[in-house]
Amino acid sequence: MRPHPGRPGWLLLPAAVGLAFLTLPLLAIVLRVDWASFGSLVTSPSALTALALSLRTATASTCACLLLGVPLAVVLARSRGRAARLVRALVLLPLALPPVVGGLALLYTFGSRGLLGGVLALAGVEVAFTTVAVVLAQTFVALPFLVLSLEGALRSHGERYEVVAASLGAPPRTVLRRVTLPLVLPGLVSGSVLAFARALGEFGATITFAGSLEGTTATLPILIYLERVSDPDAAVALSLLLVLVAVAVIGFARPRGSTP
Amino acid sequence: MRRYAAAAAALALLAHLAGCRQEPAVELTVAAAASLREPLTTIAQRYEDEQPRGVPFRVRLTFAGSAELAAQLRAGAPFDVVATADEATMRALRDEGLVQRPVTFASNRMAIAVPQGNPAGVTSLEDLAAPDLRLVVCAVEVPCGASAEAVADGAGLALTPASREQSVTDVLGKVASGEAEAGLVYASDVRTADDVEGIEIPDHLNVTNSYPAAIAVGGDRETAHGFPEYLTSEAAQTALRDAGFAAP
C-alpha cells in the first residue's frame, strides 16, 4: 500500500480488525448454507411469497419516502434557525429509535384504538394486520435515511445556481424542477436506494405493528425469524438471499462520479 | 466539545447505574413457556424464600414461546430448568439429550379471549370462523397454536386468522390492545388478564395440554435439582390454580 501523508501505518491494524468484524459473520452464513438444498429452500412457496411481499412493500415504502422525504429535505436544506434544527432532530429521531419502539408508536397511532383509529374507522380504512401497516412501518424507519442523504447533498451543492436561476426570472417551482433536483440526482438516487434497503430489512416495527401472516404481512425478515426455530437450514438459505440482495443494493447506492 | 463531554458523562452514568446491582451467590435460570409468567413469578419468589438463609439465592426467569425456548436451548442458552407448554416439545428435547427426567406439573385448556366490551359480539367457538373477524392465534409450531388448530379441527371449523403469533402472550397482547377482535388463548390467560373477557369453550370441543418441567443437561444441575419437583408441591400448585391452571 502506497504511503499516504494522512494515514499512519499502524492504523491499518485496527482497520483490519474492524473489517474482519463486519465480514466474518457474513462468511459464517455462507459457510453454514446447505448448498444441496439451497435452490429448493429459496424457491419454496412460502419463501417466494415472502420475497414478493418484501419487494412490493419496500418499493411502495420507497415511493412514500420520496413523496414525503423530498419536500422535507428541500425545506430543511433551505431553512435556517432554531426551528429548522428542531425539525431536523425530529426527522432523524426514528434513526436512533429501536424499531420495535417505532412499531409500538405506530400501533398507538394507527391502530384501531390509536390516536387516529377512530378517524380511520369512520373512513372505513382498516390498517391493523394489513399490508398497508407493513408499508407504514417500513416508511417510518426508512424516511430519515432519504431525508438525511438528500439534505446533505442539497447543502453541499449550495444555493449559487438557484440564486442565479432566480435572478434570471425563474419562479421557485421552476428552480426546484430544473436546477435543484437535477443537481442532486445522484444524492437522491443513493438516498432512495438506502431507504429501499432499510425498508426491505425492516423487522421490529413490522412484527409489532402489522403482525405476521403469510402473503399479507410476513415479510422475508419475519419469515427468517419464524423459520429459524423449526427449520434452521431454510432460515440460513433465506438469510443468504437477503445478503445477496443487500450486496446488490450497496453496489447501486454509491453515487457515481465525484462530488464538487 | 463541552457538549460531547457532557453527553458522554451522562451515558457513562446511565450505564453504571444500570449495571449497579449486587450479583447473588447462587442463581437458578428457569426458561418457561410464556403462559406460565404469572404463576411462575409467584412460585419463584416462594422458592427463593424457602432457601436456607446465609447464601443469597435468586431465580432468574425467562419467558418465550415453547418453540423459541427449545431453539435457544439447542443453540446453547444457559438454562438450568426448562418448562414447556406441551409434552411434544419436551419429548423432542429429551430425545436430543438436552433435558432429563421431565415432571408434568400442570395442565391448561383453551379459551376464547375478546377485548373489553367484546366489540365483535363473539359468543361461541363457531363465531370464530366468521371470515371478517379479526382473529389472532398462535403459529402452529407453538403449543398454543397446535392446540388451537386441534380445537378448530375438532369442531369442524376453518379459521382464517389475521395473524399467527409466536407466543400466547403476543396473541393476548393483540386482543387486549383491541387490535384483534378475538384470540385463542389458554384458560389461564383469560383468568389473569385484566383487559380481556373470556368465552368458554365447551369441554367436549376443548383440548388439554400438559406442562412438563425438566432439568437442562447443559445447565447447573446441582442448583436446578429439586426445582421441577417443587412445581408439584402444594405451594406451587396453589399458585398455579390461582392463575387458572389445572392439576397435571
Side-chain angles (χ1 to χ4, degrees):
Chain A
M1 223 177 212
R2 220 172 342 168
H4 189 279
R7 186 187 65 210
W10 53 263
L11 213 59
L12 288 173
L13 184 61
V17 173
L19 183 66
F21 179 65
L22 287 176
T23 49
L24 217 56
L26 299 176
L27 186 67
I29 288 274
V30 172
L31 291 176
R32 178 73 176 74
V33 170
D34 178 14
W35 293 105
S37 53
F38 181 75
S40 61
L41 285 172
V42 297
T43 51
S44 72
S46 59
L48 290 176
T49 310
L51 180 65
L53 180 69
S54 279
L55 290 173
R56 261 193 352 254
T57 51
T59 309
S61 305
T62 309
C63 292
C65 285
L66 283 169
L67 285 171
L68 298 174
V70 171
L72 198 52
V74 172
V75 167
L76 273 178
R78 300 293 179 248
S79 307
R80 269 170 275 271
R82 208 174 301 157
R85 282 204 296 275
L86 179 65
V87 170
R88 185 176 302 112
L90 287 173
V91 167
L92 298 183
L93 202 59
L95 278 180
L97 220 55
V100 71
V101 173
L104 220 54
L106 288 168
L107 191 64
Y108 290 132
T109 310
F110 297 102
S112 55
R113 290 198 177 171
L115 219 59
L116 301 176
V119 172
L120 289 170
L122 279 174
V125 173
E126 213 178 83
V127 171
F129 305 124
T130 61
T131 314
V132 173
V134 179
V135 175
L136 286 176
Q138 291 178 348
T139 309
F140 185 79
V141 298
L143 191 57
F145 281 90
L146 184 72
V147 174
L148 196 64
S149 205
L150 189 56
E151 201 213 337
L154 282 166
R155 280 193 180 280
S156 72
H157 275 100
E159 303 173 35
R160 307 188 304 274
Y161 296 109
E162 296 168 5
V163 168
V164 168
S167 73
L168 290 172
R173 65 176 178 279
T174 311
V175 173
L176 184 69
R177 186 168 54 91
R178 297 190 57 184
V179 177
T180 318
L181 287 181
L183 209 57
V184 294
L185 203 59
L188 185 62
V189 168
S190 73
S192 309
V193 173
L194 275 177
F196 179 81
R198 183 64 189 89
L200 195 66
E202 175 41 42
F203 169 77
T206 316
I207 204 167
T208 311
F209 177 38
S212 142
L213 192 70
E214 191 175 317
T216 312
T217 52
T219 54
L220 202 53
I222 291 178
L223 183 67
I224 293 172
Y225 183 67
L226 300 177
E227 286 291 296
R228 95 203 188 289
V229 166
S230 44
D231 188 355
D233 285 332
V236 170
L238 294 172
S239 299
L240 185 64
L241 189 64
L242 272 183
V243 168
L244 293 172
V245 171
V247 168
V249 160
I250 296 300
F252 275 106
R254 279 170 12 178
R256 281 165 242 273
S258 52
T259 46
Chain B
M1 193 63 200
R2 224 180 301 162
R3 211 177 342 150
Y4 293 137
L11 220 71
L13 185 66
L14 204 68
H16 180 71
L17 286 173
C20 226
R21 219 178 11 176
Q22 233 187 353
E23 287 305 310
V26 183
E27 255 191 22
L28 174 69
T29 307
V30 177
S35 45
L36 287 167
R37 180 182 288 271
E38 179 138 338
L40 222 54
T41 310
T42 313
I43 293 170
Q45 188 61 59
R46 289 184 188 167
Y47 193 68
E48 279 176 9
D49 293 341
E50 288 189 13
Q51 294 304 308
R53 299 205 176 273
V55 176
F57 185 92
R58 195 163 87 95
V59 178
R60 255 183 28 182
L61 296 166
T62 179
F63 299 102
S66 299
E68 168 76 34
L69 291 177
Q72 287 182 12
L73 188 63
R74 287 188 186 106
F79 303 145
D80 300 317
V81 175
V82 180
T84 58
D86 70 353
E87 307 202 294
T89 310
M90 187 62 83
R91 211 175 305 130
L93 291 174
R94 196 189 55 194
D95 291 343
E96 291 169 37
L98 292 168
V99 299
Q100 58 188 41
R101 295 202 324 266
V103 174
T104 307
F105 63 96
S107 68
N108 214 344
R109 314 172 83 231
M110 303 295 289
I112 302 169
V114 292
Q116 279 289 345
N118 196 356
V122 174
T123 52
S124 69
L125 191 60
E126 286 72 34
D127 291 341
L128 295 184
D132 54 342
L133 180 73
R134 280 205 307 270
L135 173 71
V136 172
V137 298
C138 290
V140 180
E141 299 84 36
V142 194
C144 65
S147 294
E149 192 167 277
V151 167
D153 287 344
L157 297 171
L159 301 179
T160 50
S163 182
R164 294 182 195 275
E165 303 295 327
Q166 281 299 289
S167 75
V168 75
T169 36
D170 290 341
V171 175
L172 202 61
K174 292 211 154 61
V175 172
S177 69
E179 281 315 303
E181 291 168 331
L184 270 172
V185 298
Y186 293 121
S188 60
D189 299 314
V190 164
R191 172 98 166 244
T192 52
D194 297 322
D195 30 9
V196 299
E197 292 173 15
I199 296 166
E200 266 188 39
I201 296 176
D203 286 353
H204 67 279
L205 291 172
N206 212 336
V207 167
T208 305
N209 55 314
S210 300
Y211 287 69
I215 295 176
V217 169
D220 185 348
R221 280 185 260 183
E222 200 179 298
T223 309
H225 180 73
F227 190 79
E229 285 73 29
Y230 182 75
L231 293 172
T232 58
S233 70
E234 185 56 45
Q237 288 291 306
T238 312
L240 286 159
R241 258 198 314 274
D242 289 341
F245 287 79

